[in-house]
Amino acid sequence: MATSDDAIRALRAAVSVSPDNVPLRQHLAESLLGLGRGDEAEVEYRAALGTSPNDAGLKLGLARAFNQQGKHSHALVIVEDLLKLPQPPAAAHLLYARFLLSEGDVQRAVTHYRQAQQVDPTARDEELAAQLGIDAQPEDELADGRIRLGRDTDAASSIERVAERPQINFNDVGGMEPLKEEIRLKIIYPIEHAEMFRAYGKPVGGGILMYGPPGCGKTYLARATAGEIKAEFLAVGINDVLEMWFGNSERNLHELFERARRQQPCVLFFDEIDALGASRTDMRQSAGRQLINQFLAELDGVDSSNDGVLILGATNAPWHLDNAFRRPGRFDRIVFVPPPDAAARAGILRVLCRGKPLGDIDYDAVARKTDGFSGADLKNTLDLAIEEILHAAVRGGAPRPLSTKDLLAAAKRVRPSTAEWFATARNYALYSNQGGIYDDILKYLKL
């Protein structure tokens, strides 16, 4: 320890003689960081950035210093800004992978870890690599963030699926109270009071189909549902199922359901479900029809019970989904997810701003100026506001807290992304509304 202290004192003395020597000050900051003295390292990195404000290495060092002190939101802002560079440093990808893993977004964490190795093949974080299953051996259960299927599965046909344990729950979802209550009634209460529901012959499980404009939180809500009941979360996209060889797609879909049945309670989430369950009347080839028939059979639990399997589907185009999916016992709850109202927008902004340096923000005032914004639009608004603050800080001075004025100025630069969707949905709601399925759209549009 004495030797380390002597080295730090020598470096401080050298810096005092040459205060504008950026490499020297950076060396001092890195030495302090290596000794776990993140607060002192932060001071040195800030001083170095005052001389060289565009140095990516210094910004990354400051992010690491923040992270070491537990100032994760401060670190995340810097890392996200670094990742927007044309050639982000490998270490930025590694640090971002750590943040993603802590949020339960395993697959994106793996992606950024791999991107770090593409930028710099020597980039390595042994602890993180072990947690993600990077460079796993054939006998390892975890590989690239995915848990392998059981050993009794045919090796030629087995697929790997992302296994998540989301760390978010309904408290992290702004607004959407009616939809949350629908999910509680259909999914959460049967799990919490399983014996009571079974006494009345109500199975634990079932399906809810969510539809609405993109960016309004369908996927986020599905992940929060799994977090609410502490269940495994399997997110399924079209690339996880479809294959060119006849019969493989059906087998992949069956294996996904089997995996969910083995891990119950499990939330099985199909994003853009219309891509897998398009209307059979629009199909010319039998292969697509066979896949839909398999999908319907799995939903019905023909060969295996779906008790404890909670199935959520999301689509931006419900009019393209085969009508058979809407039969009771399959997706028997169909819920419209509209853009958030003013109260929900204020709630979403509070969630998005959580952990960031804040001034006195009037969330309700911002919500009133963002009518028609989706959750994604609000996230874009916040990102633009933070970028302006960071750019101003880089030009001269330390970052200042986020204010209402910053958010309102950023909101003027964002156009609601939901308008185009409603232009299409309006026609279906007016002229193709069999059974009143799109009545919620008409109600929202006040038609």
Side-chain angles (χ1 to χ4, degrees):
M1 178 63 70
T3 302
S4 298
D5 289 340
D6 290 342
I8 294 299
R9 279 194 290 271
L11 283 171
R12 287 193 187 281
V15 168
S16 65
V17 173
S18 182
D20 295 331
N21 188 328
V22 172
L24 181 60
R25 192 179 288 274
Q26 184 176 7
H27 181 48
L28 171 59
E30 290 172 354
S31 299
L32 290 166
L33 199 61
L35 295 172
R37 294 157 67 172
D39 54 341
E40 297 176 56
E42 176 189 340
V43 173
E44 300 304 330
Y45 279 121
R46 285 186 179 278
L49 281 167
T51 303
S52 184
N54 297 318
D55 190 311
L58 293 175
K59 290 180 180 179
L60 182 61
L62 181 58
R64 291 169 56 212
F66 281 141
N67 193 50
Q68 190 177 93
Q69 298 174 75
K71 300 178 181 179
H72 303 304
S73 61
H74 294 65
L76 185 58
V77 167
I78 296 175
V79 172
E80 288 178 338
D81 197 47
L82 287 172
L83 291 176
K84 294 175 184 177
L85 295 173
Q87 294 181 321
H93 284 293
L94 288 179
L95 188 52
Y96 193 54
R98 277 199 168 276
F99 290 132
L100 291 171
L101 180 60
S102 69
E103 294 174 357
D105 198 342
V106 180
Q107 201 54 37
R108 287 183 64 208
V110 171
T111 298
H112 278 276
Y113 195 102
R114 290 298 187 195
Q115 287 177 333
Q117 292 185 317
Q118 290 175 5
V119 174
D120 180 3
T122 65
R124 189 79 182 168
D125 183 327
E126 296 296 340
E127 180 185 3
L128 182 59
Q131 291 175 322
L132 294 176
I134 302 296
D135 299 332
Q137 300 302 311
E139 65 273 12
D140 293 339
E141 181 182 6
L142 186 68
D144 279 359
R146 304 171 188 265
I147 295 178
R148 302 183 196 275
L149 291 175
R151 300 303 181 194
D152 56 343
T153 305
D154 179 9
S157 65
S158 67
I159 56 175
E160 296 177 347
R161 282 303 307 124
V162 178
E164 291 187 44
R165 288 280 183 173
Q167 302 301 308
I168 60 173
N169 55 37
F170 283 174
N171 293 329
D172 299 296
V173 180
M176 296 189 182
E177 295 307 324
L179 182 52
K180 290 178 190 175
E181 188 58 27
E182 285 273 3
I183 293 175
R184 288 189 183 101
L185 289 171
K186 181 68 178 177
I187 290 179
I188 296 175
Y189 295 153
I191 289 287
E192 294 176 342
H193 309 283
E195 294 302 321
M196 183 188 304
F197 276 72
R198 287 194 178 100
Y200 284 87
K202 293 289 289 181
V204 178
I208 292 179
L209 178 65
M210 301 179 287
Y211 77 93
C216 290
K218 297 184 288 294
T219 303
Y220 191 78
L221 182 62
R223 185 172 276 107
T225 299
E228 188 78 6
I229 58 176
K230 297 179 173 57
E232 185 168 325
F233 179 75
L234 298 181
V236 183
I238 187 171
N239 292 331
D240 299 309
V241 177
L242 295 187
E243 288 192 22
M244 65 180 292
W245 304 111
F246 186 79
N248 279 13
S249 298
E250 292 88 336
R251 183 177 59 229
N252 289 344
L253 187 62
H254 174 69
E255 289 179 356
L256 287 164
F257 272 88
E258 283 298 299
R259 167 67 189 280
R261 290 164 184 145
R262 289 195 299 270
Q263 300 293 328
Q264 58 179 277
C266 178
V267 174
L268 188 56
F269 175 61
F270 291 91
D271 199 8
E272 303 298 339
I273 193 172
D274 52 288
L276 295 173
S279 176
R280 285 170 287 185
T281 59
D282 298 333
M283 294 184 177
R284 297 181 180 180
Q285 297 181 345
S286 62
R289 292 171 177 266
Q290 286 297 108
L291 179 60
I292 293 175
N293 291 337
Q294 179 71 37
F295 204 158
L296 296 173
E298 298 294 344
L299 289 171
D300 290 338
V302 172
D303 298 320
S304 303
S305 172
N306 286 334
D307 194 31
V309 179
L310 320 170
I311 305 166
L312 295 178
T315 177
N316 299 330
W319 36 84
H320 293 322
L321 190 67
D322 194 281
N323 291 333
F325 283 92
R326 297 196 286 267
R327 198 202 75 182
R330 293 168 180 167
F331 288 108
D332 47 7
R333 296 282 180 94
I334 301 173
V335 185
F336 175 51
V337 184
D341 59 19
R345 291 195 297 274
I348 291 170
L349 284 168
R350 287 187 177 92
V351 171
L352 291 174
C353 291
R354 188 182 297 165
K356 293 180 171 56
L358 303 176
D360 185 15
I361 295 183
D362 187 344
Y363 294 102
D364 293 326
V366 179
R368 287 192 295 271
K369 295 294 185 180
T370 51
D371 186 39
F373 277 39
S374 67
D377 295 331
L378 293 171
K379 176 67 165 58
N380 188 26
T381 299
L382 178 61
D383 288 343
L384 289 174
I386 289 175
E387 284 179 9
E388 284 301 314
I389 291 174
L390 289 173
H391 291 163
V394 167
R395 288 193 295 267
R400 57 179 175 77
L402 187 69
S403 69
T404 304
K405 183 179 178 181
D406 296 319
L407 291 172
L408 290 174
K412 292 180 180 179
R413 299 165 54 191
V414 178
R415 298 188 64 178
S417 61
T418 59
E420 184 177 351
W421 185 89
F422 276 109
T424 300
R426 180 181 183 277
N427 292 330
Y428 281 98
L430 287 174
Y431 308 117
S432 184
N433 191 20
Q434 298 91 342
I437 186 174
Y438 303 132
D439 284 352
D440 285 336
I441 296 177
L442 296 175
K443 182 179 178 181
Y444 181 84
L445 294 175
K446 299 179 181 179
L447 296 176

